[in-house]
Amino acid sequence: MSIGFSFKVRGVMVRHTHPLLVLLALATGGFAIGTTEFATMSLLPFIQHDMQIDASTASHIISAYALGVVIGAPVITVLAARIDRKWLLLILMGLFALGNGMSALASSYGSLVLFRFFSGLPHGAYFGLAALMAASVVTSGKRTRAVGMVMLGLTVATIVGVPMATWLGNAVGWRWGYWLVTTLALLTVVMIALFAPKTGVASERSAKGELRALKNRAVLLTLAIGAVGFGGMFSVYTYLTSTLDSVTQMSSATIPLVLAVFGLGMTIGNIVVPRFADRALMPTAGGLLIWSAVALGVFPLVAGNPWLVSLDVFCIGIGGALGTILQTRLMDVAGEAQNMAAALNHVAFNMANALGPWLAGLALALGFGFRSTGVVGALLALGGLVIWSLARRQERQARMT
């Protein structure tokens, strides 16, 4: 039951609530997802010790979650094409709560890997649907800002949720980090039930219609921008702790502060950049890719200076707003396949999360050192810019036909 009053749009009954309450409910879900996604990395040492496994084996816990995201986003979107978005959001967040609760109860390494995979399944579909709902409760000129508010939950998690889960893991055991996420997920269920509008199911939505996103060139180019261009940020972030330790020679007590600076950059980026994107969406995306290429390219030059590298890490974090911009772009070009395109944005995000660290790892294996992660990142950002130019060319051709 939602709070508000009813009205009709295109023959469908809609419940109206204040947009800020809707956005707060959706962002709380983003906060829960961001906490579990990033906190697992910091909980790994505790899990290793408890389950008596090595670091390489423990890393499969993270990979299992990412695999769940990649598989779950398109599959759930197709199977649930005819379900009302509010109800689907409730189901997804309920499954997310269940997966994290089971993770907290896992009795073995194998069961934990399975439950982390299960926890990842709702991730992409939730963010995609949350972005669509956020855009639907504001005026067209504020869509990107609304999507940015949802993504703000994810970025704030890197500043608040992750340290909280890590502290719990250190103080009372890693399982309590997942119990924290379970609690946040259940809180999200309550808030969505109270505040999110029930819009019904549009007659044109179908599984076949959602699958058309996979044939839409504009959608595929947009996803490719994210999969490549976003990879640059991850190439640096994945090895940032090691870089700060061995190159910058920061103390172990100071390194978390720089990681928080990165999260602060992402948060501010998702507040400020969407204001420009609402006026000029694709030009802002191109500008942000150039920004990221410069910030990442500077990283090798400043990695030895604590103050300069902190400032540069903040600038790299701002580039994280690209995901919000691309989410709105997908709404514009997806046609009937709104749900699928929005969900696939987070598949692209996870592909970037795999591509960036892999390429940076190759550079490290060849002996180029931790500074080289910035060079790899800059090249990926420029690669994203090349794909962006192809998308702009395709857009102009479409207008001429």
Side-chain angles (χ1 to χ4, degrees), residues 282-298:
M282 283 298 278
T284 302
L288 199 58
L289 285 164
I290 295 172
W291 170 283
S292 295
V294 172
L296 291 162
V298 166

Side-chain angles (χ1 to χ4, degrees), residues 141-230:
K142 296 181 179 179
R143 290 183 311 149
T144 311
R145 273 173 278 183
V147 175
M149 287 292 290
V150 175
M151 296 300 292
L152 204 58
L154 181 65
T155 60
V156 170
T158 64
I159 303 173
V160 179
V162 173
M164 190 183 305
T166 305
W167 177 82
L168 281 172
N170 186 47
V172 291
W174 61 268
R175 298 177 189 275
W176 285 95
Y178 290 125
W179 283 127
L180 171 65
V181 174
T182 302
T183 303
L184 291 169
L186 292 175
L187 175 62
T188 303
V189 170
V190 173
M191 294 178 71
I192 290 176
L194 289 173
F195 304 134
K198 185 178 180 181
T199 58
V201 180
S203 59
E204 65 270 17
R205 278 190 3 224
S206 65
K208 185 177 180 181
E210 296 293 349
L211 286 171
R212 289 197 181 99
L214 303 177
K215 297 181 179 180
N216 186 323
R217 188 183 177 196
V219 168
L220 295 177
L221 284 172
T222 304
L223 294 172
I225 293 172
V228 177
F230 235 143

Side-chain angles (χ1 to χ4, degrees), residues 89-325:
L89 284 168
L90 289 170
I91 293 169
L92 291 171
M93 194 47 60
L95 292 174
F96 181 74
L98 179 62
N100 281 278
M102 290 191 299
S103 296
L105 295 171
S107 59
S108 66
Y109 165 74
S111 62
L112 181 57
V113 169
L114 177 62
F115 295 148
R116 294 317 296 154
F117 171 79
F118 183 83
S119 299
L121 291 174
H123 177 131
Y126 174 85
F127 268 121
L129 289 166
L132 291 170
M133 180 172 284
S136 72
V137 298
V138 298
T139 59
S140 59
K142 296 181 179 179
R143 290 183 311 149
T144 311
R145 273 173 278 183
V147 175
M149 287 292 290
V150 175
M151 296 300 292
L152 204 58
L154 181 65
T155 60
V156 170
T158 64
I159 303 173
V160 179
V162 173
M164 190 183 305
T166 305
W167 177 82
L168 281 172
N170 186 47
V172 291
W174 61 268
R175 298 177 189 275
W176 285 95
Y178 290 125
W179 283 127
L180 171 65
V181 174
T182 302
T183 303
L184 291 169
L186 292 175
L187 175 62
T188 303
V189 170
V190 173
M191 294 178 71
I192 290 176
L194 289 173
F195 304 134
K198 185 178 180 181
T199 58
V201 180
S203 59
E204 65 270 17
R205 278 190 3 224
S206 65
K208 185 177 180 181
E210 296 293 349
L211 286 171
R212 289 197 181 99
L214 303 177
K215 297 181 179 180
N216 186 323
R217 188 183 177 196
V219 168
L220 295 177
L221 284 172
T222 304
L223 294 172
I225 293 172
V228 177
F230 235 143
M233 183 182 74
F234 287 112
S235 69
V236 167
Y237 183 77
T238 302
Y239 300 99
L240 183 57
T241 297
S242 298
T243 304
L244 295 174
D245 178 41
S246 63
V247 178
T248 319
Q249 297 186 339
M250 283 186 170
S251 66
S252 58
T254 308
I255 290 174
L257 297 177
V258 181
L259 298 178
V261 166
F262 173 83
L264 183 62
M266 287 189 68
T267 301
I268 292 178
N270 270 291
I271 294 173
V272 175
V273 175
R275 295 180 178 273
F276 296 96
D278 278 326
R279 297 185 180 93
L281 188 68
M282 283 298 278
T284 302
L288 199 58
L289 285 164
I290 295 172
W291 170 283
S292 295
V294 172
L296 291 162
V298 166
F299 184 77
L301 304 177
V302 300
N305 186 295
W307 296 103
L308 292 179
V309 78
S310 298
L311 177 60
D312 192 48
V313 165
F314 175 81
C315 293
I316 292 171
I318 288 176
L322 180 65
T324 299
I325 298 174

Side-chain angles (χ1 to χ4, degrees), residues 217 393-401:
R217 188 183 177 196
R393 180 180 178 184
Q394 189 267 340
E395 186 179 51
R396 286 192 291 269
Q397 290 175 342
R399 287 174 181 170
M400 294 173 62
T401 57

